[in-house]
Amino acid sequence: MTPDELKTTAEKQREAVGKYPHRVHVCMAAGCISSGSDKVKDALTDELKKAGKDKCCLVKGVGCMGLCSAGPLVEVADSVAGNSVMYKNVTAEDVPALVASLEGKPVPHLLLPKDIPFFTAQHKIVLENFGLIDPDTIADYIMMGGYEALNKALTDMGPAEVLHEVTASGLRGRGGAGYPTGLKWSTVAKAGGGQKYVICNADEGDPGAFMDRSVLESDPHRVLEGMAIAGFAVGANAGYIYVRAEYPLAVKRLKNAIRQAERSGLLGQNIFGTPFNFKIDIRLGAGAFVCGEETALIASIEGLRGQPRPRPPYPAVSGLWGCPTLINNVETLANIPPIIRKGGKWFASIGTEKSKGTKVFALAGQVNNTGLIEVPMGIKLRDIIFDIGGGIPEGRKFKAVQTGGPSGGCIPEQHLDMPVDYESLASVGSIMGSGGMIVMDESSDMVDVAKYFMEFCMTESCGKCVPCRAGTAQMHDLLARIMEGDATMRDLALLEKLCDLVKNTSLCGLGMTAPNPVLSTLQYFREEYTSRLLDGGGNGRHPKTAAAAEVR
Amino acid sequence: METAVVENPATSKDTRWKLLTATMRRHGNRPHALIESLHTAQEAFGYIDDVAMKYVAESLRVPLSKVYGVATFYHYFTLKPQGKHTCVVCTGTACYIKGAGQLLQAMEEKYGVSAGETTEDGELSVLTARCFGCCGLAPAAVIDGAVAGKLTVAETLERLDKVIGK
């Protein structure tokens, strides 16, 4: 494809879509599909044909619209009047009413107001195409300005200029640690040697996080484009996407997207008529949380057990098959095309001083509006949970919000007015993480939550280093004993000692962060631990503790 | 399901073996194709047995011990045949908070199988997964490949009774 052909494709697609006075967008992401949106879409197509309106109304399966808890979601747009309405909890039975409403008034009982904070308080960069394009159609992505950034990078800019823009944007790794992306790219670009690789880390193992799945399912081309730009900037000609096997729909859409991009000449040899070649392959993960760690991920692509190795050498110097390798998270790469299109300065104008841009969060747990959101860095946690999230269901009381999954911590009420950025979250004992945000209400037992995460780390520990392998098992044992009311102050002291040891002596991030959920719950909810101890002077919440207290 | 009766997978007429052979060949029978090959084997047969592991080991020239090591390291691979129907309960954080444990407990009470087990008649396997990424629909389970969200105990048991035909 030449740059001119890219423009024509975009125009043609705009025309093809624009000729319909009505458009119906049905969410076809995994969440809504499991609520039955595929049936809704089929019913819509049939019903429109029956009513003879299929020539004036386009039915399109689109990516995630965000509010998963109200799914299946359907948006009906009227291009003549220039407005659109959104419907929630749509079933196949509602379809005749929807079709009948096309030229009339909207169906009132299904209406989902679009002016609620869930939609208005968001700032979409990564999710800009969500709910608008069909992820299985490359022309739809091109229509929205897709692959323009790759074109600009290849034909107008050089690798050095791309690096400069990415560095200027202040983008930091969205996988959790927040390492500056520009710096990482520069290191790989500077590394000598011929063969280099770009790896997209889509092994989203954090339980409670589904941002990467949504991006791959709803806008797969954005990730491919980001990878190709990265490849151009660092001098790599091949890329791998390491994606969880547990995400079959994401894998299917990715495979389709790669095929379409190859066929259009947007991946492969001599992209946009330049000497730049880039190919992308998919590698399936096999259910190992530790493979989110970059050296373990590389081992897994090489067909080995996913066990991390000591760094340095960092993958930027010696990665896949010993070659310099750039590893970025899905969301990081998805931020690249808009940065190249609009410039690093534009991106740096959003967010806080040290955390630029936006962050996608998967909002779940005991909160009214669960789903996918994108907010500017620096927003208050309270705004996310109570405005966008709509607060806690059934009038219960907020207790804590868990960010960062098994590597993060629980943040209590008193820190809700803190801005969301890498440093602030770390200062209260949690981490930004990849973006899972689980809200807990007063019914949640914090010791149980800590035990849950410790069990997760225990089973997911790869077993290579002793502190993590044995330490997580011992900590889990201690937590189980505390839960059962069978522990003493000494056990609690031992638990704290172990936290310190595992944190400081483990080989990789999994072990180093495994104690975080325990430490943060101990910091803010210590009473829940001590009240269960045999000699803690607690209120004897557990029957066994109560019995022991009576004996005393 | 019975892969054991096949004597030589390489010359077998069974299309499932051919699928596996094709995957390995696509990667040039190189050792790094190990995980991809095991994925194909599991997809074709439902689980990975000794015959499949030996075949993969020989074709990719990887020691059998290493194949076994990889197959047992990753949670996604299973070396045991599954029941006719499967119910995979998500135990991700959101599902956990919203009562995935109660779903598992109810299944254990009703069918006598805990997570990772198959009923004696081979009808139902109950499994757990770390997270499907359907946290907005917690608690969720995948029953015979279809995701079911916002489950209650009664609803889950009712759905399961329907699939196993009781």
Side-chain angles (χ1 to χ4, degrees):
Chain A
M1 196 176 265
T2 63
D4 285 339
E5 279 167 0
L6 189 72
K7 255 183 222 139
T8 352
T9 312
E11 267 159 32
K12 260 195 203 150
Q13 185 69 8
R14 257 192 290 271
E15 225 169 81
V17 173
K19 72 174 189 221
Y20 291 95
H22 301 283
R23 285 194 312 274
V24 183
H25 291 176
V26 185
C27 176
M28 293 293 271
C32 279
I33 288 185
S34 53
S35 316
S37 70
D38 46 347
K39 291 187 197 94
V40 173
K41 188 178 165 235
D42 291 345
L44 269 166
T45 315
D46 289 347
E47 185 68 25
L48 281 167
K49 220 172 252 165
K50 240 195 289 169
K53 290 183 186 168
D54 53 334
K55 291 280 180 293
C56 67
C57 182
L58 171 74
V59 179
K60 185 151 83 172
V62 296
C64 185
M65 297 193 193
L67 192 54
C68 303
S69 54
L73 295 171
V74 173
E75 186 171 21
V76 180
D78 187 332
S79 9
V80 183
N83 58 13
S84 71
V85 284
M86 201 132 174
Y87 295 111
K88 62 182 177 186
N89 301 324
V90 181
T91 60
E93 283 86 63
D94 298 320
V95 164
L98 280 190
V99 171
S101 79
L102 276 182
E103 268 118 21
K105 281 205 174 114
V107 187
H109 69 283
L110 297 174
L111 217 52
L112 175 65
K114 281 178 81 179
D115 53 359
I116 56 172
F118 184 86
F119 295 110
T120 53
Q122 293 197 47
H123 185 130
K124 295 192 172 186
I125 295 175
V126 171
L127 310 183
E128 61 185 353
N129 290 339
F130 279 45
L132 299 172
I133 66 164
D134 175 1
D136 280 327
T137 311
I138 190 170
D140 253 20
Y141 179 62
I142 293 175
M143 169 181 84
M144 304 301 286
Y147 289 104
E148 251 172 42
L150 180 62
N151 177 26
K152 186 176 169 192
L154 293 183
T155 52
D156 295 347
M157 302 161 82
E161 222 173 311
V162 173
L163 283 178
H164 176 79
E165 286 302 327
V166 173
T167 310
S169 74
L171 176 66
R172 293 170 67 176
R174 297 290 192 246
Y179 191 77
T181 308
L183 199 57
K184 206 179 206 175
W185 285 28
S186 306
T187 319
V188 182
K190 274 185 216 137
Q195 182 67 52
K196 291 179 191 174
Y197 294 100
V198 175
I199 295 177
C200 169
N201 183 352
D203 188 51
E204 188 174 47
D206 282 16
F210 53 91
M211 304 75 49
D212 297 351
R213 171 182 67 76
S214 297
V215 173
L216 296 173
E217 277 175 7
S218 305
D219 203 358
H221 285 287
R222 166 179 296 268
V223 181
L224 303 185
E225 188 181 1
M227 281 179 80
I229 294 171
F232 175 67
V234 303
N237 65 3
Y240 287 97
I241 302 178
Y242 186 85
V243 57
R244 294 179 80 197
E246 288 90 335
Y247 290 170
L249 187 64
V251 174
K252 195 178 128 211
R253 292 200 174 146
L254 260 181
K255 279 187 177 159
N256 182 49
I258 293 175
R259 210 170 30 236
Q260 286 180 347
E262 279 172 350
R263 209 173 289 158
S264 315
L266 295 165
L267 285 177
Q269 305 286 320
N270 301 103
I271 301 168
F272 287 118
T274 64
F276 177 63
N277 307 328
F278 198 72
K279 67 169 180 43
I280 296 177
D281 256 333
I282 295 178
R283 283 287 177 274
L284 290 185
F289 176 63
V290 70
C291 286
E293 201 279 340
E294 50 186 17
T295 58
L297 189 154
I298 287 173
S300 186
I301 292 184
E302 291 173 352
L304 308 169
R305 285 199 232 177
Q307 290 185 316
R309 60 161 176 79
R311 296 175 301 178
Y314 286 89
V317 178
S318 172
L320 192 59
W321 291 300
C323 302
T325 304
L326 173 72
I327 303 189
N328 276 144
N329 166 269
V330 171
E331 195 188 330
T332 315
L333 289 166
N335 268 306
I336 298 298
I339 288 177
I340 299 300
R341 247 186 289 136
K342 302 181 187 171
K345 225 176 178 177
W346 159 80
F347 191 83
S349 69
I350 306 159
T352 66
E353 198 198 331
K354 283 186 174 166
S355 306
K356 305 290 187 196
T358 58
K359 179 79 194 83
V360 181
F361 286 105
L363 194 57
Q366 307 287 15
V367 61
N368 278 317
N369 301 335
T370 57
L372 195 72
I373 56 164
E374 182 170 3
V375 288
M377 293 276 192
I379 188 174
K380 282 183 201 158
L381 271 171
R382 190 182 295 280
D383 294 346
I384 295 183
I385 295 161
F386 289 94
D387 285 354
I388 297 177
I392 316 295
E394 292 159 30
R396 286 192 298 258
K397 216 171 144 261
F398 170 86
K399 185 168 189 179
V401 55
Q402 211 281 342
T403 65
S407 316
C410 298
I411 301 167
E413 169 104 44
Q414 73 242 42
H415 291 307
L416 275 187
D417 289 313
M418 187 190 71
V420 174
D421 59 55
Y422 291 96
E423 280 73 24
S424 305
L425 285 169
S427 74
V428 295
S430 189
I431 59 165
M432 174 74 83
S434 58
M437 199 174 259
I438 313 274
V439 181
M440 299 174 197
D441 66 14
E442 54 197 344
S443 67
S444 295
D445 180 333
M446 302 318 276
V447 185
D448 192 38
V449 168
K451 179 172 152 256
Y452 164 79
F453 282 119
M454 195 49 73
E455 197 216 330
F456 180 90
C457 291
M458 180 177 74
T459 35
E460 293 300 330
S461 171
C462 77
K464 184 165 176 170
C465 72
V466 180
C468 176
R469 181 182 66 222
T472 51
Q474 292 300 329
M475 287 194 283
H476 179 258
D477 258 16
L478 285 169
L479 286 166
R481 280 180 49 205
I482 293 172
M483 278 296 287
E484 280 160 23
D486 224 1
T488 59
M489 282 307 262
R490 275 180 67 190
D491 292 311
L492 189 63
L494 182 62
L495 178 67
E496 290 188 283
K497 212 171 149 189
L498 268 173
C499 282
D500 183 55
L501 182 126
V502 173
K503 192 173 181 168
N504 290 305
T505 57
S506 293
L507 172 63
C508 81
L510 196 160
M512 283 186 233
T513 56
N516 282 355
V518 180
L519 288 171
S520 76
T521 48
L522 265 174
Q523 185 180 349
Y524 300 116
F525 304 97
R526 197 176 182 89
E527 195 269 337
E528 293 194 23
Y529 284 84
T530 50
S531 67
R532 287 187 158 94
L533 299 177
L534 289 168
D535 53 355
N539 54 13
R541 195 185 310 193
H542 192 278
K544 229 172 175 177
T545 330
E550 225 157 79
V551 171
R552 275 206 300 273
Chain B
M1 282 288 199
E2 274 88 39
T3 53
V5 294
V6 179
E7 302 224 314
N8 185 358
T11 54
S12 167
K13 289 243 166 20
D14 192 332
T15 47
R16 295 177 298 183
W17 286 116
K18 284 184 180 164
L19 271 174
L20 179 56
T21 313
T23 299
M24 294 193 284
R25 201 171 286 158
R26 195 169 59 243
H27 293 280
N29 283 343
R30 277 176 298 182
H32 67 77
L34 178 54
I35 293 174
E36 292 286 303
S37 310
L38 292 177
H39 269 299
T40 310
Q42 175 154 316
E43 213 171 288
F45 295 105
Y47 71 111
I48 303 166
D49 69 357
D50 293 359
V51 185
M53 275 193 276
K54 276 182 193 146
Y55 178 47
V56 170
E58 279 163 24
S59 309
L60 305 180
R61 291 184 200 85
V62 175
L64 183 58
S65 59
K66 214 169 127 188
V67 176
Y68 183 77
V70 167
T72 49
F73 179 86
Y74 292 99
H75 301 304
Y76 194 77
F77 296 132
T78 167
L79 309 189
K80 283 187 293 191
Q82 302 297 318
K84 222 155 109 195
H85 303 283
T86 54
C87 174
V88 191
V89 179
C90 179
T91 55
T93 319
C95 292
Y96 179 76
I97 300 246
K98 288 203 167 179
Q102 281 139 31
L103 299 184
L104 283 168
Q105 203 184 339
M107 277 183 240
E108 185 166 354
E109 275 163 22
K110 180 146 188 197
Y111 306 108
V113 278
S114 55
E117 292 176 352
T118 305
T119 50
E120 266 172 35
D121 56 5
E123 280 290 321
L124 178 71
S125 289
V126 175
L127 304 163
T128 54
R130 273 309 172 200
C131 186
F132 301 136
C134 292
C135 313
L137 302 172
V142 173
I143 300 171
D144 280 348
V147 183
K150 296 185 193 165
L151 287 168
T152 60
V153 168
E155 205 183 330
T156 316
L157 294 180
E158 196 183 310
R159 278 182 188 235
L160 284 176
D161 279 345
K162 223 193 253 166
V163 294
I164 59 176
K166 264 187 190 164

